[in-house]
Amino acid sequence: MKKINLWKSSVENGMLVMFSSTYDFITENNLDNILIKKIIIDHLSCMEEQFKKYFLSDLNTEQFIWVQKPFLVEMEQVKHLPLSAQEEFAEFSCNTKLKTEFSKQTLNSFWLSVKAEYPLLSELAMAVLLPFATTYLCEMAFSVMTNIKTKQRSRLCNIEIAMRPALTDIKPRFNLLCQNMQAHPSH
């Protein structure tokens, strides 16, 4: 957020050096950067709004206090959770062994450690603590796509088929595949 505000301020003052490719393009082509400055500022403003929605500014908000201080929260403070999660929380909050473990671990480590016993609570807590879970896969897919769609392969029409094996977590069973092959495929 601080960088976005810094960039907006710099762009408003006519400095585009932080966007080196754009800056180089404008200077090489002697373009008027008033329109470009407006587009960049609008884009940065939209990013700022999206970041505000996406990133939780404070885990101490009433809605997420149960994640940060699970043994100090009353049942009334988890009423917004699904009923099954509330039931899990009722059992969880009475576990004195976990209360001791909570003080010895980081927040992420603790919620991961209770996943086997309290899967729903752990999943909900990790969704709050780790907001980047899906971004990684999107970025990985984009990288795979740019590697597949090169100048030489630009006419590839159905890229999904080529991307699927590159993005899957399923390990191929080569032994099984090789057993089912003919020794000499003649036709």
Side-chain angles (χ1 to χ4, degrees):
M1 296 297 288
K2 289 180 180 179
K3 277 189 176 182
I4 288 176
N5 288 325
L6 174 67
W7 292 343
K8 280 174 47 178
S9 173
S10 295
V11 171
E12 287 169 352
N13 292 326
M15 295 187 53
L16 298 172
V17 290
M18 72 290 269
F19 306 113
S20 57
S21 297
T22 305
Y23 178 75
D24 292 343
F25 182 78
I26 289 170
T27 54
E28 287 171 10
N29 295 302
N30 296 324
L31 297 175
D32 181 24
N33 63 0
I34 294 172
L35 179 61
I36 294 171
K37 282 183 0 183
K38 182 183 177 345
I39 292 170
I40 292 172
I41 290 170
D42 289 346
H43 180 71
L44 290 172
S45 297
C46 288
M47 279 180 60
E48 185 177 20
E49 289 303 312
Q50 290 300 316
F51 280 10
K52 285 178 183 175
K53 290 178 187 174
Y54 190 72
F55 296 107
L56 303 173
S57 60
D58 191 4
L59 277 180
N60 288 322
T61 59
E62 188 66 29
Q63 186 179 6
F64 301 114
I65 194 74
W66 68 272
V67 175
Q68 192 174 23
K69 301 174 183 178
F71 298 102
L72 300 176
V73 172
E74 298 297 322
M75 288 302 295
E76 288 296 317
Q77 293 172 291
V78 294
K79 288 287 185 193
H80 64 281
L81 296 176
L83 181 60
S84 53
Q86 290 179 45
E87 291 171 351
E88 231 179 66
F89 187 82
E91 183 183 326
F92 167 87
S93 63
C94 297
N95 191 328
T96 55
K97 179 184 166 213
L98 287 180
K99 189 173 185 177
T100 306
E101 290 298 315
F102 179 74
S103 61
K104 296 178 183 177
Q105 297 179 1
T106 65
L107 210 50
N108 291 348
S109 299
F110 173 75
W111 283 110
L112 284 172
S113 72
V114 300
K115 186 174 179 128
E117 200 171 351
Y118 303 100
L120 186 56
L121 280 180
S122 176
E123 185 179 324
L124 291 170
M126 292 312 292
V128 171
L129 294 171
L130 300 174
F132 298 112
T134 59
T135 307
Y136 166 75
L137 294 176
C138 291
E139 290 178 13
M140 190 168 92
F142 184 73
S143 296
V144 166
M145 184 188 73
T146 56
N147 286 332
I148 291 172
K149 278 226 167 260
T150 61
K151 286 181 181 179
Q152 292 78 21
R153 296 176 72 186
S154 64
R155 292 188 179 190
L156 192 62
C157 57
N158 193 351
I159 195 162
E160 293 88 10
I161 293 171
M163 288 177 65
R164 187 172 294 134
L167 294 172
T168 186
D169 288 336
I170 299 171
K171 302 287 182 219
R173 296 177 294 184
F174 290 114
N175 292 339
L176 182 63
L177 291 170
C178 291
Q179 284 175 350
N180 294 335
M181 286 191 66
Q182 295 177 345
H184 297 285
S186 58
H187 301 344

